[in-house]
Amino acid sequence: MTATRVLVLNSGSSSVKYQLLDMADGTRLAAGLVERIGEESSRLKHAPLAGGGGSRERTEPIADHEAALRAVAEELAADGLGLDSPELAAIGHRVVHGGLKFTAPTVIDDAVLKEIERLVPVAPLHNPANITGIRTARALRPDLPQVAVFDTAFHTTMPESAARYAIDVETADQHRVRRYGFHGTSHAYVSRATAKLLGRAPEDVNVIVLHLGNGASASAVRGGRCVDTSMGLTPLEGLVMGTRSGDVDPAVIFHLTRVGGMSIDEIDVLLNKRSGLVGLCGDNDMREIRRRVDAGDERAALAFDIYIHRLKKYIGAYYAVLGRVDAVVFTAGVGENAAPVREAAVAGLEELGLAVDGELNSVRSDEARLISPEYARVAVAVVPTDEELEIADQTYALVGKGRS
């Protein structure tokens, strides 16, 4: 029997998202989420996606990630998809930060896990949770290949001129301070899918990818390779996000410390959790913000305008970086669903060859599609991202072929 299934795990600090896919044809067999791990009211939501059967939900104390994965294994087994199946080829793990060492998906051994641990100081919110998921999965299936797919890997093709900050080189190298970028699995998938939508090979296409969710990032992709991206050492840099500020003058931190009396930890919380859209208007849900804008709310209108202003700046900057742009593509929760954001982001950029067709833009669909008029020199597209499929593809390509 050929092993063609891949379990994808995305372990957060108090949650585990998962999907089981059959890479023989890309079929999703099951998906689910364990949330509030470590609380009395932990919840597991599981949905078998092939072969019938309705979704199920369990609310019970789930003490830790090991208990969470054992609960996931039970739900999968109930559908005949257990982790002991000989059809399971590998487990693919989303790992947020791979530094400069990991530029491609990597089979996890003790040395790899140690290096991921060494990167915790530059990803303190994400890598520890990813590590916990890896350790737990390795304990459950020590015989099975486990693969790390890194958010940062797609961006390691950036030239030094884009990746370096203009600070003292020795200090930067000593503390690994540089621009790494994130959302790489999404940018990789979407840039390739956009080329396919245009009927061209990825190496022939220049694309600006706008991954707009609660976290948001932009990338400039030339011929399938990232040459610039908006997030930096951490996911804080770049676009205005749901709760993150994006770009600010670094001296804001000094000012808030000296004049405002705020500690570094307080400023960290401010910029990561109390800024962005929620800091500007109290909401980080774009649907609610647009409702408020339409009702005449001035704070919401200003927040929306600041969000769009930053987005346009990055479109223009990456247009200049690429020199020639074949497509600007919107993806992720806001990018895929918020037509007003797409319309406003492109408005006024006609001289750059960009335009949006109002009727096409208003259509809601789960399919990749063009929303620009036929006369537009640069295509504007909406391409739903699929990070789980990208992780599964990369995992299976590394370890799945030839397994039997």
Side-chain angles (χ1 to χ4, degrees), residues 201-233:
E203 57 267 26
D204 296 331
V205 176
N206 290 355
V207 182
I208 297 173
V209 179
L210 304 171
H211 177 107
L212 308 179
N214 192 51
S217 60
S219 67
V221 182
R222 177 185 291 126
R225 294 166 62 86
C226 177
V227 295
D228 206 348
T229 192
S230 58
M231 287 179 167
L233 173 71

Side-chain angles (χ1 to χ4, degrees), residues 84-363:
D84 58 351
S85 169
E87 296 179 71
L88 188 61
I91 298 177
H93 298 265
R94 178 197 180 214
V95 179
V96 167
H97 215 307
L100 291 180
K101 185 177 181 66
F102 298 113
T103 62
T106 304
V107 175
I108 299 167
D109 57 20
D110 290 343
V112 169
L113 189 56
K114 186 175 181 180
E115 181 64 20
I116 296 172
E117 290 174 334
R118 195 176 74 85
L119 290 164
V120 165
V122 291
L125 300 179
H126 299 93
N127 273 30
N130 303 153
I131 291 165
T132 300
I134 290 169
R135 284 183 175 147
T136 303
R138 290 180 82 195
L140 287 176
R141 283 297 307 266
D143 59 314
L144 198 66
Q146 313 265 338
V147 174
V149 177
F150 298 92
D151 269 12
T152 50
F154 182 65
H155 304 302
T156 57
T157 57
M158 282 192 295
E160 286 292 277
S161 57
R164 283 270 182 186
Y165 290 110
I167 66 172
D168 173 67
V169 171
E170 291 183 2
T171 301
D173 288 348
Q174 179 183 354
H175 299 290
R176 300 191 297 276
V177 176
R178 63 186 289 117
R179 302 183 63 251
Y180 294 99
F182 299 90
H183 294 147
T185 51
S186 176
H187 287 279
Y189 175 86
V190 170
S191 59
R192 286 200 317 275
T194 301
K196 182 178 180 181
L197 180 65
L198 298 178
R200 298 167 66 180
E203 57 267 26
D204 296 331
V205 176
N206 290 355
V207 182
I208 297 173
V209 179
L210 304 171
H211 177 107
L212 308 179
N214 192 51
S217 60
S219 67
V221 182
R222 177 185 291 126
R225 294 166 62 86
C226 177
V227 295
D228 206 348
T229 192
S230 58
M231 287 179 167
L233 173 71
T234 76
L236 180 59
E237 187 180 357
L239 302 174
V240 174
M241 306 177 219
T243 66
R244 299 180 194 137
S245 64
D247 294 336
V248 295
D249 179 349
V252 168
I253 298 169
F254 314 146
H255 179 79
L256 291 176
T257 300
R258 294 167 181 159
V259 178
M262 295 178 69
S263 70
I264 292 298
D265 287 343
E266 288 173 330
I267 297 171
D268 191 337
V269 171
L270 170 69
L271 296 180
N272 277 289
K273 298 182 179 180
R274 293 173 42 220
S275 295
L277 293 170
V278 78
L280 290 167
C281 71
D283 273 311
N284 64 335
D285 187 319
M286 186 57 73
R287 293 165 297 187
E288 177 61 16
I289 291 171
R290 283 305 311 176
R291 186 198 66 76
R292 289 172 56 186
V293 170
D294 293 340
D297 187 309
E298 292 184 2
R299 280 189 65 190
L302 178 59
F304 184 80
D305 288 346
I306 292 171
Y307 182 94
I308 295 299
H309 179 77
R310 184 79 54 83
L311 193 53
K312 281 189 176 183
K313 284 177 66 174
Y314 270 91
I315 293 173
Y318 287 170
Y319 205 119
V321 166
L322 291 169
R324 188 200 83 239
V325 175
D326 299 295
V328 173
V329 56
F330 293 85
T331 194
V334 175
E336 294 169 27
N337 297 297
V341 168
R342 298 191 296 260
E343 179 181 7
V346 172
L349 302 182
E350 291 80 9
E351 291 297 318
L352 298 180
L354 292 163
V356 162
D357 180 289
E359 185 174 340
L360 293 175
N361 189 40
S362 66
V363 173

